[in-house]
Amino acid sequence: MMAKLLYISANPKGAGKSKGMQIGEAFLASFLASQPDTEILKIDLFDFDMARMDADLISARGKLAGYGKSFDELTETEKEKILKMHKLADEFIDYDYYVFVSPLWNLSSPAVLKTFLDNLFVTGKTFVHTANGPKGLLTGKTAIHIQTRGGLYTGMPMEALESGDRYLKIALRFLGIEVLDSVIAEGLDAFPQKVPEIVADAKTRAIAAAKEMARIPVEV
């Protein structure tokens, strides 16, 4: 069975200007060298149609999960939005590997990435509630985050304030996905003269991470 990889980018600059996406391309090239038959889909979250957690969607989720209402009892707008959420979750579930590429903005990820993740939290589909707490259903899948940072966080006082990479890993693990160590390129704004060196180092680590991910077998 052909493996499937979903490449999710959250940077409005595009691959030509985004250093993170350039690192991501190095990752993909390395992964495909190890698994050349892998089917890959790239999505740009700044140009991606997805449901947003507004009053209608919150109401629809509450009626279906909390109040025992049927789908037919939802309003037409609620039906449209909950179907869009479930469609995205279904498509996401269909993949084996996930690569997230995003910058650190104001201590967190771009809002479009949080919106995307919101669509994945579907009770009974990606996780279930048990007597021992919630349990993720997306086991046998693997993800990695490639993140660029303007400042220095790792091992620094600012590390405790970083919530983009941290939240993404928490969310994916909650859903049962195995998450590899992130590839972080930081100090890009703090040390502009060192940008080529920082990016080159990150690409080297991304290539190694891709080889590691490619060795993880797809769960049939």
Side-chain angles (χ1 to χ4, degrees), residues 6-165:
L6 183 61
Y7 179 92
I8 305 122
S9 63
N11 194 314
K13 293 180 181 179
K17 296 182 179 180
S18 166
K19 298 174 184 66
M21 293 176 71
Q22 291 166 21
I23 297 166
E25 289 297 326
F27 180 99
L28 283 184
S30 176
F31 188 93
L32 283 173
S34 298
Q35 283 204 37
D37 294 329
T38 303
E39 177 183 334
I40 292 178
L41 175 66
K42 296 181 180 181
I43 59 175
D44 172 5
L45 295 185
F46 278 91
D47 187 29
F48 186 69
D49 184 27
M50 53 186 161
R52 285 164 171 76
M53 295 296 292
D54 59 10
D56 295 313
L57 188 53
I58 292 172
S59 174
R61 293 182 68 191
K63 288 178 181 178
L64 295 176
Y67 297 98
K69 300 287 186 180
S70 69
F71 178 77
D72 290 336
E73 294 178 274
L74 303 181
T75 67
E76 291 305 311
T77 301
E78 290 171 346
K79 289 178 181 177
E80 177 185 348
K81 293 182 179 181
I82 199 72
L83 284 175
K84 180 178 286 189
M85 168 180 267
H86 279 253
K87 182 175 183 292
L88 192 158
D90 286 335
E91 292 172 348
F92 184 86
I93 292 169
D94 196 39
Y95 286 82
D96 307 294
Y97 305 103
Y98 309 100
V99 180
F100 290 85
V101 183
S102 70
L104 179 65
W105 283 359
N106 304 318
L107 307 180
S108 189
S109 298
V112 290
L113 180 52
K114 177 60 166 61
T115 298
F116 181 83
L117 294 172
D118 283 340
N119 280 265
L120 305 182
F121 283 73
V122 181
T123 308
K125 184 167 292 187
T126 58
F127 76 99
V128 291
H129 293 287
T130 73
N132 297 317
K135 177 182 178 182
L137 299 178
L138 303 188
T139 56
K141 301 177 184 295
T142 310
I144 192 168
H145 185 205
I146 297 171
Q147 187 194 57
T148 49
R149 302 171 178 175
L152 294 175
Y153 290 77
T154 305
M156 305 293 284
M158 289 289 288
E159 185 170 23
L161 303 181
E162 196 285 325
S163 60
D165 180 62

Side-chain angles (χ1 to χ4, degrees), residues 166-195:
R166 181 179 303 167
Y167 174 73
L168 176 61
K169 290 188 287 192
I170 289 172
L172 296 177
R173 286 170 178 155
F174 178 91
L175 299 178
I177 299 171
E178 178 183 358
V179 185
L180 302 182
D181 291 339
S182 301
V183 175
I184 308 295
E186 58 185 350
L188 294 167
D189 294 335
F191 305 101
Q193 73 279 9
K194 293 185 177 181
V195 167

